[in-house]
Amino acid sequence: MKKKIKKNIKKNIGKIVKIVSRDQTDVLLNEQKWYKPLKTIVKQAKIQDLEKMRKEAARNPLKFWENAAKELAWMEPWKKVLEEKKAPFYQWFVGGKCNIVENALDRHIGTPIERKNAILWEGNSGKSKRFTYGQLYRAVNRMANGLKHLGVVKGDRVVIYLQNIPETAISMLAAAKIGAVHSVVYGGFSAHALKTRVEDAEAKVVVTSDIGYRRDKTIDMKSIVDEVLQGCKCVQKVIVVKQNNEPTPTAKKRGSRRDTPRRVFPETHMEPHRDVFYNHLIAHESEECPTERMDAEDPLFILYTSGTTGTPKGVVHVHGGYMVGIHKTFQTVFDIQSKDTFWCTADPGWITGHSYTVYAPLMAGITTILFEGVQDYPKPDRLWNMVEKYNVTIFYTAPTLIRALMRYGDQWPKKHNLNSLRLLGSVGEPINPEAWRWYYTVIGQKKCPIMDTWWQTETGMFMITPFVTMSLKASSATKPFPGIQAEVVDAQGKKVAPGKGGYLVIKNPWPAMLRTIYKNPKRYLETYWKKIPGWYLTGDMAHKDKDGYFWIQGRSDDVLKIAGHRIGSVEVESALVSHPSVAEAGVIGKPDPVKGETIKAFVVLKKGVSIGARHGEELKEKLKNHVRHEIGPIAVMEEIEYIDQLPKTRSGKIMRRVLRARELGQDAGDVSTLAD
Ligand code: WT7
């Protein structure tokens, strides 16, 4: 065995010698290849002594976070950094008064940053817009005043259901500025998903658009909202951003399939007394609006995410700790310099979009890019074209997107000058070594380190992540951020040996942590703190190697990751069961080379529903469409199989583990609880 390893090492070192460049050395250790940082990157890095930072933060995490908080503007300082009395309902910066928007916008006004680009936006069609910090500040103030005039007061919930357009960020900032709580619902969700979120949040106002663009399609956003609001008691006003005067998407060749005229929409239906156009609302509003003084622990937003039950969880984040956490992680991990143009491809409908597309870059006073389109429309070089056009220095995206683009071949990125890139980032799911190496070699041209950041909607900020000065291993998120104690443990909470898989837990509180599940503190306790008492349970499986590097293996619960999007098995099952032909359904994730996972559903039909060979296939198509209608196009259902009976425990729980094992030809493990 030992001989074999030695032989392997020799073989690999042979290979590596060939690619060692002047600045770049790859060393092989224990069959794990190290990617050492470039000297040029290390030289200019802000954090020169990472080990010292780690040690200090480990010795006194509260001091570490307190110092981070001091880098931001506060209206009144805090009296206590961390209050643990009601743990795990932790409180940070107790007694402090602040508003994240003061840091994201107000404090740049009157400084040279005011004239810098805050947002560069590119639409699906290629059209672009830009906002300097001054312009963004004024746009946000007008919207904030508009919201006030509609009756929105501190603490009210504002649901934002838009595509990735500047008004999405403007609405978030405007709501936060006046102390309202925003809840962004991803524009790709459909009516049912939107309805559950609007109702759970008891939103007073919904911000939407008449239509949205995606590839050569138009999505009738306003009709979805109208459907959702039928019979809804909480929503009093709907603000509609007009998109319909946009030019027709992308120039095309004559006679090509795309050369169809854009669908013409009838005049948008506007409900009297309820609906108002965004442009009309802000037309006469003042460009100044006072920023609400918030308690550090006042909620900033609710963001819904999937868990193990059918109802999405409203994850609550607050002004104080959240702004401190995302500020510190962003500045240090991405080694932010004032000239950076940062592009995070995440839609503001997800946590990545909140923390690192909108808030953190604005707090840092750098330029952030918003992109409404998709990665391969109109061509597979759309992103690389934009990197070149806007001189992007830091590019942050998801593995699924890298894998999708990798498949089109190197010729697409090679058409473009990507020399502006300095750093790359990855998030959302484990990145496989093949995709990592392609990203590193072809996109980063072996000079950009990849920051593989592990975190969650709940954590608010990066938790396990490299720094630019660290040596990397392809597909490892490396080590916990300074001040964070992460560990891999067994079901009893006992630390497992290096190399052994287990549950990933966090052992100490951090400032950007979720505070609760909206209106459901019990669920907060049970989901995150009960199974392994005292520690935060992430829901992921991982292992730690002997160098202390973490390798994330995927979810340990029934949460699926479809193209980086988080969807609960139970949500999909509920959607299926709401179809008149379906009695029961069990859903599993099946490995997919591009999307990471796709959905496979096992369906038990209702008695009396007959399916001949043809009928069966037709019904499958209907069921796929039904799920799409209930949840949205992100719920990609690849396969449906009819079965007579689902494997269940004696207490009636579906054993998805058994379905998965059967599907993938694996051992199902302990099946003693199986009922039949
Ligand atoms: C889940 C959280 C937080 C950003 C977007 C996703 C998976 C996230 C990584 C990574 C391996 C990752 C985990 C986690 N995940 N980042 N770098 N490597 N897995 O947020 O929708 O709340 O999903 O995404 O499974 O638990 P989310």
Side-chain angles (χ1 to χ4, degrees):
M1 183 64 191
K2 259 194 182 155
K3 251 190 191 160
K4 204 171 158 199
I5 293 175
K6 265 195 185 158
K7 217 170 122 194
N8 261 337
I9 293 177
K10 260 196 185 154
K11 206 171 86 196
N12 283 317
I13 286 179
K15 260 192 229 147
I16 287 156
V17 171
K18 277 188 225 135
I19 52 168
V20 169
S21 65
R22 206 153 23 99
D23 244 343
Q24 178 77 42
T25 38
D26 300 303
V27 188
L28 200 79
L29 207 77
N30 263 5
E31 294 178 290
Q32 295 185 59
K33 185 168 155 183
W34 289 98
Y35 290 80
K36 285 210 168 164
L38 286 187
K39 285 198 189 92
T40 43
I41 298 247
V42 173
K43 220 162 128 192
Q44 66 173 20
K46 280 206 286 208
I47 307 296
Q48 282 294 327
D49 197 343
L50 180 59
E51 286 320 304
K52 187 170 155 228
M53 180 174 165
R54 285 197 198 285
K55 264 190 212 129
E56 281 173 7
R59 199 166 37 217
N60 194 346
L62 298 193
K63 188 91 215 144
F64 176 78
W65 291 116
E66 178 159 44
N67 285 338
K70 284 181 186 160
E71 293 166 10
L72 295 171
W74 290 76
M75 297 163 180
E76 200 177 306
W78 51 92
K79 298 198 170 63
K80 196 172 179 190
V81 179
L82 174 67
E83 179 56 80
E84 296 184 277
K85 261 193 217 132
K86 295 190 195 121
F89 294 94
Y90 293 99
Q91 295 181 315
W92 284 84
F93 306 108
V94 184
K97 305 284 178 206
C98 62
N99 189 312
I100 192 168
V101 182
E102 184 185 17
N103 283 290
L105 291 176
D106 305 355
R107 83 163 173 168
H108 302 313
I109 302 306
T111 75
I113 297 174
E114 185 175 341
R115 282 200 297 278
K116 250 174 101 169
N117 286 328
I119 291 179
L120 293 176
W121 173 80
E122 186 165 304
N124 181 61
S125 68
K127 171 182 166 170
S128 63
K129 276 187 201 161
R130 72 187 185 108
F131 288 79
T132 63
Y133 272 89
Q135 288 165 335
L136 184 63
Y137 170 80
R138 291 188 287 276
V140 167
N141 285 343
R142 288 169 72 185
M143 176 61 163
N145 286 323
L147 287 172
K148 274 189 182 169
H149 277 144
L150 294 182
V152 176
V153 297
K154 186 172 176 170
D156 282 346
R157 274 82 53 217
V158 174
V159 160
I160 300 167
Y161 180 62
L162 287 169
Q163 303 295 327
N164 195 350
I165 57 176
E167 288 78 4
T168 315
I170 291 170
S171 303
M172 291 163 74
L173 293 156
K177 182 151 207 189
I178 62 169
V181 180
H182 58 70
S183 186
V184 185
V185 177
Y186 174 58
F189 275 127
S190 55
H192 177 76
L194 175 62
K195 192 178 172 79
T196 51
R197 288 158 174 80
V198 166
E199 283 176 353
D200 188 76
E202 296 172 275
K204 194 180 209 174
V205 169
V206 174
V207 189
T208 188
S209 56
D210 49 355
I211 55 171
Y213 297 103
R214 200 166 174 84
R215 300 180 189 273
D216 45 9
K217 281 203 213 89
T218 28
I219 306 150
D220 201 347
M221 309 277 291
K222 179 61 166 51
S223 301
I224 298 175
V225 171
D226 286 342
E227 184 188 331
V228 164
L229 295 189
Q230 263 174 30
C232 165
K233 295 213 177 62
C234 52
V235 175
Q236 294 169 11
K237 297 284 175 190
V238 176
I239 302 169
V240 183
V241 181
K242 214 166 163 38
Q243 295 281 284
N244 207 2
N245 41 17
E246 295 270 289
T248 319
T250 353
K252 333 109 204 178
K253 266 193 241 129
R254 250 175 204 291
S256 80
R257 219 159 43 85
R258 273 203 227 101
D259 198 15
T260 44
R262 180 159 49 90
R263 208 170 124 204
V264 179
F265 273 86
E267 272 296 287
T268 311
H269 165 76
M270 297 291 275
E271 193 69 29
H273 313 299
R274 191 195 70 186
D275 301 352
V276 51
F277 279 114
Y278 173 84
N279 279 344
H280 296 170
L281 176 72
I282 62 163
H284 304 292
E285 293 295 353
S286 157
E287 292 183 339
E288 287 299 332
C289 173
T291 302
E292 192 72 34
R293 194 180 148 91
M294 304 300 285
D295 191 273
E297 283 292 310
D298 276 338
L300 166 64
F301 64 84
I302 305 167
L303 186 58
Y304 287 86
T305 189
S306 298
T308 46
T309 70
T311 36
K313 304 181 272 197
V315 168
V316 177
H317 283 288
V318 300
H319 275 261
Y322 176 77
M323 74 176 186
V324 173
I326 64 170
H327 155 77
K328 193 67 193 172
T329 47
F330 185 65
Q331 286 279 352
T332 56
V333 170
F334 284 132
D335 195 33
I336 297 300
Q337 296 163 12
S338 64
K339 282 207 188 94
D340 275 325
T341 296
F342 178 79
W343 185 10
C344 164
T345 61
D347 188 279
W350 311 109
I351 190 68
T352 318
H354 281 62
S355 300
Y356 300 109
T357 304
V358 177
Y359 283 117
L362 295 180
M363 284 201 282
I366 61 165
T367 305
T368 182
I369 291 185
L370 300 186
F371 175 46
E372 181 192 36
V374 291
Q375 75 273 7
D376 53 358
Y377 178 77
K379 296 222 174 76
D381 63 344
R382 181 70 190 267
L383 302 187
W384 319 129
N385 180 39
M386 283 177 65
V387 167
E388 179 174 17
K389 182 158 143 198
Y390 299 111
N391 282 308
V392 174
T393 57
I394 307 173
F395 181 73
Y396 185 38
T397 194
T400 183
L401 207 133
I402 298 163
R403 289 191 297 259
L405 292 176
M406 187 170 96
R407 292 207 146 187
Y408 288 112
D410 299 3
Q411 70 272 27
W412 294 100
K414 293 232 161 101
K415 276 181 204 256
H416 297 279
N417 179 348
L418 304 180
N419 284 340
S420 59
L421 289 173
R422 185 163 69 76
L423 298 179
L424 299 173
S426 172
V427 62
E429 48 175 330
I431 176 167
N432 50 307
E434 197 194 351
W436 196 99
R437 283 191 293 266
W438 186 79
Y439 198 27
Y440 183 75
T441 316
V442 180
I443 305 306
Q445 300 164 71
K446 293 192 182 173
K447 65 180 178 60
C448 305
I450 299 175
M451 301 296 107
D452 178 1
T453 59
W454 176 89
W455 58 296
Q456 309 176 295
T457 305
E458 293 89 338
T459 69
M461 61 177 219
F462 307 151
M463 298 296 279
I464 300 179
T465 172
F467 279 72
V468 297
T469 52
M470 282 172 74
S471 293
L472 305 173
K473 299 184 196 184
S475 306
S476 167
T478 74
K479 293 186 174 187
F481 188 80
I484 304 294
Q485 288 176 41
E487 200 49 83
V488 181
V489 300
D490 63 17
Q492 281 71 47
K494 236 183 88 209
K495 192 173 156 176
V496 301
K500 282 246 156 53
Y503 299 97
L504 179 64
V505 295
I506 311 292
K507 293 166 79 171
N508 60 340
W510 63 100
M513 67 195 298
L514 79 163
R515 294 306 192 263
T516 189
I517 298 296
Y518 191 60
K519 296 196 299 194
N520 204 342
K522 201 169 145 232
R523 194 167 173 194
Y524 169 73
L525 287 176
E526 275 163 11
T527 312
Y528 306 107
W529 303 95
K530 280 271 161 75
K531 285 171 202 145
I532 298 176
W535 295 345
Y536 171 84
L537 186 72
T538 64
D540 278 345
M541 301 298 284
H543 76 263
K544 204 161 91 167
D545 67 19
K546 61 170 192 32
D547 299 310
Y549 276 39
F550 285 77
W551 301 75
I552 313 295
Q553 295 163 339
R555 302 287 307 189
S556 65
D557 50 12
D558 289 314
V559 169
L560 309 172
K561 271 279 171 171
I562 316 293
H565 298 135
R566 185 162 155 183
I567 305 175
S569 300
V570 186
E571 277 168 86
V572 184
E573 288 161 4
S574 313
L576 281 166
V577 172
S578 73
H579 189 276
S581 301
V582 177
E584 282 183 306
V587 157
I588 59 161
K590 227 182 134 169
D592 179 90
V594 174
K595 297 194 179 86
E597 272 185 321
T598 54
I599 302 172
K600 160 130 196 196
F602 296 87
V603 168
V604 182
L605 293 173
K606 277 197 184 141
K607 287 225 164 63
V609 178
S610 67
I611 42 156
R614 218 191 69 204
H615 240 82
E617 287 313 303
E618 267 171 27
L619 181 58
K620 279 183 190 174
E621 279 319 300
K622 280 189 192 149
L623 293 178
K624 284 181 188 175
N625 284 334
H626 179 70
V627 170
R628 208 182 152 86
H629 180 261
E630 290 289 296
I631 300 175
I634 56 167
V636 201
M637 173 98 61
E638 212 64 36
E639 251 179 274
I640 297 179
E641 187 178 328
Y642 299 121
I643 54 172
D644 296 334
Q645 206 184 5
L646 289 173
K648 283 189 191 163
T649 61
R650 274 183 276 275
S651 57
K653 274 195 194 156
I654 299 172
M655 291 181 82
R656 297 185 193 84
R657 173 165 64 84
V658 175
L659 290 173
R660 203 174 298 124
R662 191 191 105 151
E663 182 65 30
L664 306 177
Q666 293 165 346
D667 178 17
D670 180 11
V671 289
S672 58
T673 54
L674 197 61
D676 204 349

